[in-house]
Amino acid sequence: MAPLPAPTGGPPALRSPDRVLRIVEQLSRNPQGLTAKQLARRTGIPLKTVYHHLRTVIDRQWAWRGEDGRHYFRPEAVDPAPAAVPRLDRVRPVLERLAAATGAAVSLASLRDDRLAVAAHAAAPGAPRLDDLAADLPEALHATAMGRALLAGLPAHQRRRLLKDHGLRPFTARTVRDADALEAELRRGALTGVFTESGECREDVACSGVIVRTGARASDGLALAAAVPIGLPEARRRGVDRRLRLAAAELVPILIPEIE
C-alpha cells in the first residue's frame, strides 16, 4: 500500500524531523499505544514539545489518538510487509553496517502466511550462517529472537492462535516448550525492548531481536535480529543489543520516508 496522500499543496516541512522520528519509532514499537507522558519519558523530549509534534504526526496520518488518550501507530502509512520491504536498496546498507560493527548475522524478518520469513540479511565473516537455519526457520517463531519480537507485536488472541497452530517444537534441549514460559519471556523482552534467546534454535547460537514495526495484521510486523556465537562475553552482547536498537531506529525513516 502506498503512503497516504498528503493534503493538497503538500504538508509543511518538518521543523524537527529527528524528534518526530523518535516519536514515530516509539509508536511503531508499541501496538498497545502510548500516552503523551509515556512518549516524553521514552524519548526524553519535553512533554509540551511531544504534544506539539503529536499534532504533526496525527495530521500526517502516521498515528491516531484513541478515546483512551493513547496514540496508536497506523501501519497503513507505510508499505506493508511482506510485499518486499520498502526500498531494500536502502535497508541492506543498514543491515550491512550493523553486521560489520557487531560481527553478527543480521536479519530483517516478517510473517508470511503465518510463517517466519527473512526479508533482508547481512552477515559478518565468521557469523552464524542463515543457510544452516533455512529449513527450520519458518516454524521457529517461538525459538528465535526475531520470531519473539514479531509475536510480541501481535494482539494476544492472534499470538495464541499462531502458537496453537505452530506448536512449540523443540529445536534443541533449551527450546522453550511451555506457553506460559514463552509469555514470560515476551513480557521481559517488552520491558527492555530487546527479545533474546540462547541456544534455543541452534545450540551454538544466541540471538537478540527488536520490533521495527507492528500493525493490525500479522504480516504488518517487522523485526530486526542479530545472531552471534553463544559464548560471546556479556559486555559484547550488550554492545550488540545497543547497536541493534540504533539500527532499528535508522530503519524507521526508510519505512516512512516523509519523515526525512
Side-chain angles (χ1 to χ4, degrees), residues 133 136 140 142-144 148 168-177 197-206 230:
L133 296 172
D136 295 328
H142 62 294
T144 59
R148 289 179 178 178
L168 299 177
R169 174 183 164 186
F171 292 92
T172 73
R174 299 187 184 192
T175 305
V176 63
R177 298 298 314 283
E197 62 87 10
S198 185
E200 295 192 43
C201 190
R202 266 182 50 186
E203 292 180 349
D204 58 342
V205 173
I230 199 168

Side-chain angles (χ1 to χ4, degrees), residues 161-192:
R161 179 188 60 78
L162 266 181
L163 292 174
K164 182 179 180 181
D165 291 345
H166 279 264
L168 299 177
R169 174 183 164 186
F171 292 92
T172 73
R174 299 187 184 192
T175 305
V176 63
R177 298 298 314 283
D178 180 77
D180 291 337
L182 178 60
E183 284 292 334
E185 286 290 336
L186 298 183
R187 287 193 295 271
R188 278 192 287 272
L191 288 174
T192 64

Side-chain angles (χ1 to χ4, degrees), residues 15-229:
R15 294 183 179 180
S16 301
D18 57 330
R19 290 184 171 184
V20 173
L21 168 59
R22 282 150 61 190
I23 289 170
V24 174
E25 176 195 357
Q26 287 297 325
L27 292 175
S28 72
R29 293 186 185 185
N30 291 274
Q32 76 279 12
L34 294 171
T35 65
K37 287 183 178 179
Q38 288 173 323
L39 282 166
R41 287 196 299 269
R42 295 182 184 211
T43 61
I45 300 171
L47 180 59
K48 183 177 180 180
T49 306
V50 166
Y51 278 119
H52 171 73
H53 289 312
L54 277 172
R55 286 197 293 271
T56 298
V57 169
I58 291 170
D59 285 347
R60 290 179 179 237
Q61 301 185 61
W62 294 331
W64 58 280
R65 186 179 187 277
E67 293 182 0
D68 56 2
R70 291 175 175 268
H71 301 82
Y72 298 86
F73 180 66
R74 286 184 180 272
E76 66 267 28
V78 296
D79 296 325
V85 176
R87 302 158 196 88
L88 274 179
D89 59 330
R90 297 181 60 195
V91 169
R92 289 194 180 96
V94 177
L95 273 58
E96 290 167 357
R97 288 194 295 271
L98 177 59
T102 59
V106 178
S107 299
L108 187 66
S110 65
L111 288 171
R112 298 182 184 178
D113 299 322
D114 292 344
R115 294 161 67 86
L116 189 58
V118 172
H121 178 72
R129 289 171 49 86
L130 182 65
D131 290 349
D132 295 338
L133 296 172
D136 295 328
L137 193 64
E139 308 297 331
L141 272 173
H142 62 294
T144 59
M146 66 181 89
R148 289 179 178 178
L150 290 169
L151 284 171
L154 294 176
H157 71 280
Q158 276 188 296
R159 182 163 63 246
R160 286 193 296 267
R161 179 188 60 78
L162 266 181
L163 292 174
K164 182 179 180 181
D165 291 345
H166 279 264
L168 299 177
R169 174 183 164 186
F171 292 92
T172 73
R174 299 187 184 192
T175 305
V176 63
R177 298 298 314 283
D178 180 77
D180 291 337
L182 178 60
E183 284 292 334
E185 286 290 336
L186 298 183
R187 287 193 295 271
R188 278 192 287 272
L191 288 174
T192 64
V194 179
F195 300 84
T196 62
E197 62 87 10
S198 185
E200 295 192 43
C201 190
R202 266 182 50 186
E203 292 180 349
D204 58 342
V205 173
C207 193
S208 297
V210 296
I211 297 171
V212 176
R213 189 179 80 195
T214 60
R217 299 164 299 183
S219 60
D220 290 323
L222 287 170
L224 182 66
V228 296

